[in-house]
Amino acid sequence: MKIKKLTRPLIAAAASLTLGVTLLPTTFAQAAENTPDGSSSDKAAASCYEIKQNDPESKSGAYWLFTPEMEAPARFYCDQETDGGGWVMLGRGREGWTEDYQGKGNPADLANNPDGTDAFSPVQLDSKTVDALMGGQSPSDLEDGLLFKRATNAEGTQWQNAYAKRMNQQNWTWALAAFAQWSDIRFDNPPGLGLDTNYATSKGSVGNWDNRYNALVFKANRDTNWLNGFTFGYYVRGSNTPTTHLWSKTGNTAMAFTQLYARPKLTQDNAGFETIADTGLGAEQQRALPSSFSSRMEWRTSLETGTGNVGEMNTQVQAITQVGDTVFTGGDFKNLVSRSGETVDQRFLAGFNVKDGQLVRSFMPKFNGQIKALEGLSNGKLAVGGEFTQVNGEDVTGFVVLDPVTGEIDRTFDWKVENRLASDVARVRTIQEANGYLYIGGAFTHVKGNTSSAFEYSRNAARFNMSNGSVDWNWNPEFNGTVNGISAGDDNENVYAAGYFSTNRGERAWKLANMNTTTGYNKMPWDWKLSYYSAAQGDRAGFQFDVQDAGSTVWAGGAEHLIAQYNKSDLSRSYSAITKNGGDFQDLFRDKKNGIIYGSCHCENWAYEGADTHDNPEATTYEINRIRMVGAWDETTGKFLQDFNPMLTGQRGNGIWESFVDSEGVLWVGGDISKTLGTSGTQDTVGFARYAPRDITPSAAPSNLQVATADGKDQLSWTSGTKGATDYQVLRNDRVIATVTGGKTTYEVDHQDGARYFVRSVDNAGNYSETTPVATAPAAPEETPAPVDEPTQEPTEEATQPAEEATQPAEEPTPAPVAEEEKDQSGEIIAAGSQWDYLVNAFTTPADWKNTDTTVTGWQQGKAPLGWGTAPVETVIPGEGTTQPASIYVRKSVTIDKPENYSKLVIKVRSDDGSVLYVNGKEVNRDNMVAAPRPIYAASLAMSIKSDEDAQNNWITVEVPASDLQAGKNTIALSVHAQDRWGIGASASFDLSADLQK
């Protein structure tokens, strides 16, 4: 079997199983007594398959594995019985699986807790760990495909083994809900569930052939409470109980407890271990990329737009740039809100300090329309383009230059743009300074420079000379449609444009143009393949939003859902990807320093790498990756960089419209953003979010490695190269055998004559110092057994302890009965933050769920604030990405002895986004829901989105007369409803307090 080597990825292999963190090209040269049987980290095998081949009697359980692509040995669960054994577990669980690249849960739980009811919460290995276990082999090339071992009854005593090969997938990802191609599907059914069945191919996730047990579908829907998992067909029944192996919220489409396995057939001979030279290994560091978790939100924009328009062309932030120590964000926002809740009345354009993200309060220009483009100029000024006609009270249309400190109009160059077409105004959508010129693009017909009062005809694209502010009259393109993006190459030989046009100066230029730098005419034809064409679209088919020069290549993005890379020499396409279910690419940004292209889109599902057609991308893809509105690509190879996988969501699904890397290496993204996932949980990063660069600096290397041998042990010691506590990896015979933590600089292991040792520093970010040079273990000294003296036994005395005498307590007189005083219950009877019974998406719950005499079964308990998608929340309702529940039912009972002694019950409630309140089964209030008497169901949605701050700061007061209360038990019930059930940025939460008043 040929093993394809990886290009040295740095992986987060089963991190909780071992503290090691490096990839190691090595050779296996251990002594026979150190056979890799998986029994310890220094005897790690290359695969479960190797263990089974070496020991056919080996049993299922946890074993140590190590491949050249892994950071260090780690423990994994091996199934050594099913179909000949040799299977390694990649994930297991019931409902709640994720498609995220980093997997889910603690990987140690796979090895330690592979099955049983306490294994229902899904655990999935990080995708890089899975790739490492495969030793560089593609998932598509696995000889035996994947094994899905699924319970077929509620008790988990019967199991089905389903097999399937994942086609067109070079590297592992958890994007299993994507529409994809599968082959060699086989169902091995237990007795009573029908014959074993085989299917040649399938398209889907994975496939459904009989709506019963010959169905293997990874999905989330109403029956699964919008939680991902592996389901049978619709007619296989499940139940909503905590101990069943066949779970369903509604009873239909049972989601089975599933174990997912692969069987890479790696051994010491074919895994590809290589020899380390005596000089050791060099330092290794992570690729420079942003963290996938957003930085702390200091300021955000309003959810409301400044213009009042809410279409996809009116998102909160559409342009970002930097001048000096200020990063500017422009778009269509109404105001700014700080982390502490302060609101600043500043629309359309704002500046923030690059160091701490704080608002620059000296910069407060006034615009009457949205901003579409920003560019920091070499003269220290700020160029602004957009859809405005006034700036600071002056008539200025579409384009202006500002002082970046004061926000006043800068009059160094008297630049103006006009649109002399009937009933149209000038709009500038893209600005770039390059090679001594300032390029602008948009919708205009004429431009005026600083050296003349005359306007030059230059339709939809123009450039100014930065030395004197003049219009370059020689560079004169003429596009017949709006220019959305413009990019001039560093080589000063090419200028590229993207937009809605189809010609430049009468020559064909279908949405993309390559212009020369002298006249602005087409330099060479750019005949590119559209991903989708319909005659009904006409000249708008395939419109492109942005273009980006990237050295030897050029990138373009737009409709339909296409991002592509082209060779500059002949404009032939070298890479493409399609997003589904998703949307068009709307922005491209080049991080030149780190060789990265950031592509942004209104997409929240999958990127099909290699695909170039909108309707069937699974046919030509070679890898399906998860993407949520922004992704990173290698600017040269076109490879999607999976290490950057942030989680963002928006209010209306309009996506990200701008990305920018500042002078600190922080990535800013702006657009229709309402929430992001930060290191401490979900944040309300409305309008824009920041992603700090991850650590890529290795710790200092250790030195002076020494090896001594005594008592059958090799005793290692070395000198630290750092002042603080550092972790170290120990390598023996060309492979990692241990990680030493806590700053210790010694290690001991069973002796091997002539063993070759190395040591290096390792950090939690995946960076590694160079190793020490080799240190070789000496031969063990011959031991002469010492004479053994026979011990003389000493007599012993046993002390006798006296027994303690029992002491009887004296009897106390029985007190006389006292008349019970009447209890005053006035005051708070339900505090905010109390414990509640709750039920999520109660589609089959009887209508009497809110009544006092209803017996609650199958409900969970949790403290308020209770919900999802909102921070802070005390009890988090589980849900993945776009599968959050639409509603939450909550109820709580309190005892009121004599309600006639009181006048009313005052209830204060806050809900996000809407709610219906009941007392003893009677509806007493609706908040942000359709008006009564229209019925409310579990699938009902709130009327509008309510921001987290609005819900938390505006509690609703409801007064319930005492006549509606009853002596004894009283039940307060609430149905809480989100406005949007699909986006992870949607939310549903509540809290409530109740005060009994006289």
Side-chain angles (χ1 to χ4, degrees), residues 10 82 87 98 136 459 463 550 621 720 754 764 819 854 890 929 961 972:
L10 295 177
T82 302
W87 298 91
T98 185
R459 188 171 177 183
R463 75 180 185 186
T621 187
S720 174
N764 290 331
T854 299
V890 299
M929 302 296 294
I972 315 298

Side-chain angles (χ1 to χ4, degrees), residues 193-217:
L193 294 188
L195 298 175
D196 296 346
T197 313
N198 299 283
Y199 301 94
T201 60
S202 170
K203 287 186 178 182
S205 57
V206 178
N208 185 349
W209 288 269
D210 66 359
N211 241 346
R212 298 184 186 277
Y213 291 96
N214 288 347
L216 175 62
V217 183

